[in-house]
Amino acid sequence: MKNALLPAMLATALLNIGCQSIQNKPAINVPEDSYNLRIATFNVSMEATNYKMGQHIDASGNALTTALISGQFEQINNIAQIIQRTRPDVILLNEFDYISDPEQGINLFKKRYLEVSQNGFAPITYPYVYLAPVNTGVNTPLSGENARLTHFGFGHYPGQYGMVLLSKLPIDSKNVRTFQHFLWQDMPDNLMPQEKDGRSWYSEQERNIMRLSSKSHWDVPIKVCGKQINILASHPTPPVFDGPEDRNGRRNHDEIRVWKDYISETGNSYLYDDNGQSGGFNGSSFVILGDLNASAVDGDAHPKAISQLLEHPRVNKYPAPTSQGGLLNKPNNKNAATHTAHWGMRADYVLPSADLTLTNSGVFWPTKDEAGAELVADRSASSDHRLVWVDIELSIDTLQCE
């Protein structure tokens, strides 16, 4: 099968990848009998703390809608420009507030920013979207003046720090699995915090309602000419902002462990999704995506948190994506080239399954003397995180394109 027989959408995507100037890594020629799929993750910091009205945070949940409509925040244009420069086929946006009505949220971003040229770069269209509720800012039944566990995940309002998946390729929405309501205590051998004497740090009431996912965990199937690749998306809590009980560090570890168990052949029968279906992953190819807030060599995460995935036999053992901008940001840190956040850590991951062939990867982080440097000058310019991308080569002979 030749590229000329690919549907127009796939042929256009293939041309885009070969023709765009991608910062950090040179384009790699893809054989004519292959299709190159670019998958990315980007914590875009598009939540209320970036769009303060005066000195106050808009906790109504309308801050992002107001900012998108106003057209007054260059940060949003810069986020769109970064996406137009790198041109992923599939991209997860972390910290894009959950707004149930797409016309008040993600569709505004698509129509007014992504589908409009930013600084001369070609518009980009994502016809397929997946979004769903998250736990951040959602009150627990124990909410009240004296309650300790007031929210299932930190947030000033429901949906803050949410996430959304954009795709040029069809999403099999009927077979999406989400794990927003899975209880932490239902994970065997969990790391829920304990007192020094071994008693649970959480009360029995708290344990009985405490959800594991600080936002949510999504298994979203993507269709590439009949081939299915499942996007496993999440955004675990930062392993900080707690006390000696290390409740956030422990939660981060176990949020990452969900995917470790999910993709394993055994040991996942305890998992149940929001529709009541039990068990783990039953497909063949996947990509784990998101700001996982953990590093094996930097930061404050549990020492084995991210290693659960990086060392998993079903995860591709490719070299970490790198950038010159990251290298120069922390020149005294030997891991700096792999960093994805300005404070100096690899926090954001694109982890394909071992059966997928990778051709290229990178972190969008221009150096100060490169074009686009203004886009990553600081958090207000775009985000405190960088877009991370990976190219996957798919043999056209294995695809069923009409």
Side-chain angles (χ1 to χ4, degrees):
M1 183 180 251
K2 299 298 183 182
N3 285 349
L5 300 180
L6 285 169
M9 178 176 64
L10 295 186
T12 301
L14 183 59
L15 287 173
N16 281 341
I17 288 172
C19 296
Q20 293 299 321
S21 174
I22 301 299
Q23 180 265 338
N24 295 329
K25 295 289 184 74
I28 291 180
N29 292 327
V30 179
E32 283 191 9
D33 60 351
S34 296
Y35 169 62
N36 208 38
L37 181 69
R38 175 160 288 172
I39 299 182
T41 189
F42 193 9
N43 181 326
V44 292
S45 296
M46 292 175 69
E47 44 79 29
T49 58
N50 255 356
Y51 312 119
K52 291 183 181 179
M53 308 302 171
Q55 297 300 312
H56 302 286
I57 295 175
D58 180 357
S60 69
N62 297 320
L64 180 55
T65 300
T66 301
L68 289 166
I69 292 173
S70 74
Q72 296 178 359
F73 291 89
E74 189 177 9
Q75 181 251 3
I76 301 178
N77 298 84
N78 290 346
I79 291 290
Q81 184 183 154
I82 291 170
I83 295 172
Q84 289 178 357
R85 281 172 173 261
T86 52
R87 309 196 75 78
D89 297 295
V90 180
I91 181 169
L92 176 70
L93 306 182
N94 285 131
E95 294 195 11
F96 188 103
D97 280 358
Y98 170 71
I99 300 170
S100 59
D101 180 1
E103 296 304 319
Q104 300 299 310
I106 188 57
N107 284 355
L108 281 175
F109 181 54
K110 287 169 54 181
K111 294 173 183 176
R112 298 195 180 199
Y113 297 88
L114 292 178
E115 295 173 10
V116 175
S117 175
Q118 304 293 335
N119 197 28
F121 285 86
I124 191 165
T125 302
Y126 293 102
Y128 304 99
V129 175
Y130 183 78
L131 75 163
V134 292
N135 286 325
T136 42
V138 177
N139 291 337
T140 72
L142 305 180
S143 297
E145 194 171 315
N146 299 316
R148 181 171 60 178
L149 186 62
T150 57
H151 299 88
F152 289 115
F154 175 78
H156 295 286
Y157 51 88
Q160 189 176 15
Y161 311 109
M163 56 187 186
V164 60
L165 186 71
L166 302 178
S167 178
K168 295 181 180 180
L169 305 166
I171 293 174
D172 183 5
S173 300
K174 293 182 179 179
N175 289 303
V176 171
R177 298 183 70 188
T178 66
F179 296 84
Q180 181 191 4
H181 297 97
F182 178 83
L183 296 182
W184 193 356
Q185 68 173 357
D186 290 342
M187 172 180 277
D189 302 317
N190 62 69
L191 295 187
M192 295 187 82
Q194 297 180 334
E195 302 285 3
K196 291 182 179 179
D197 61 5
R199 290 181 297 113
S200 172
W201 187 83
Y202 287 112
S203 69
E204 183 177 1
Q205 268 190 314
E206 292 168 335
R207 286 178 61 90
N208 288 339
I209 64 168
M210 182 62 176
R211 299 173 184 176
L212 173 54
S213 184
S214 54
K215 284 84 177 178
S216 191
H217 286 70
W218 298 344
D219 176 353
V220 183
I222 302 290
K223 297 294 186 179
V224 188
C225 280
K227 179 178 176 59
Q228 178 170 304
I229 297 178
N230 289 55
I231 303 299
L232 308 183
S234 63
H235 184 189
T237 189
V240 289
F241 310 123
D242 51 21
E245 81 291 339
D246 192 28
R247 66 185 183 279
N248 289 332
R250 290 167 174 267
R251 189 179 190 182
N252 174 274
H253 174 280
D254 283 355
E255 285 194 73
I256 294 173
R257 183 186 151 190
V258 166
W259 292 139
K260 186 267 288 186
D261 290 347
Y262 191 67
I263 62 175
S264 297
E265 293 184 1
T266 59
N268 51 36
S269 60
Y270 71 88
L271 286 167
Y272 52 85
D273 62 30
D274 295 327
N275 288 324
Q277 179 182 342
S278 298
F281 181 63
N282 59 8
S284 58
S285 301
F286 61 82
V287 180
I288 298 172
L289 275 185
D291 173 3
L292 302 185
N293 272 314
S295 167
V297 290
D298 296 301
D300 300 306
H302 188 285
K304 295 184 179 180
I306 196 62
S307 299
Q308 298 176 100
L309 299 181
L310 297 180
E311 298 173 5
H312 196 287
R314 290 197 69 181
V315 172
N316 200 299
K317 302 296 188 295
Y318 78 104
T322 61
S323 73
Q324 277 295 111
L327 178 64
L328 297 178
N329 180 59
K330 297 287 183 181
N332 295 323
N333 186 316
K334 64 181 180 179
N335 309 303
T338 67
H339 289 171
T340 68
H342 82 89
W343 64 82
M345 193 177 89
R346 185 186 182 193
D348 308 85
Y349 294 83
V350 182
L351 300 176
S353 52
D355 64 303
L356 294 173
T357 300
L358 276 57
T359 60
N360 207 359
S361 67
V363 180
F364 182 85
W365 198 333
T367 62
K368 292 181 179 180
D369 59 352
E370 288 181 317
E374 72 281 359
L375 301 175
V376 296
D378 52 36
R379 184 175 187 266
S380 64
S382 57
S383 173
D384 50 353
H385 291 252
R386 307 292 176 251
L387 183 150
V388 183
W389 55 270
V390 166
D391 286 346
I392 297 170
E393 180 185 324
L394 300 175
S395 171
I396 292 176
D397 289 337
T398 67
L399 304 180
Q400 299 171 5
C401 301
E402 298 177 358

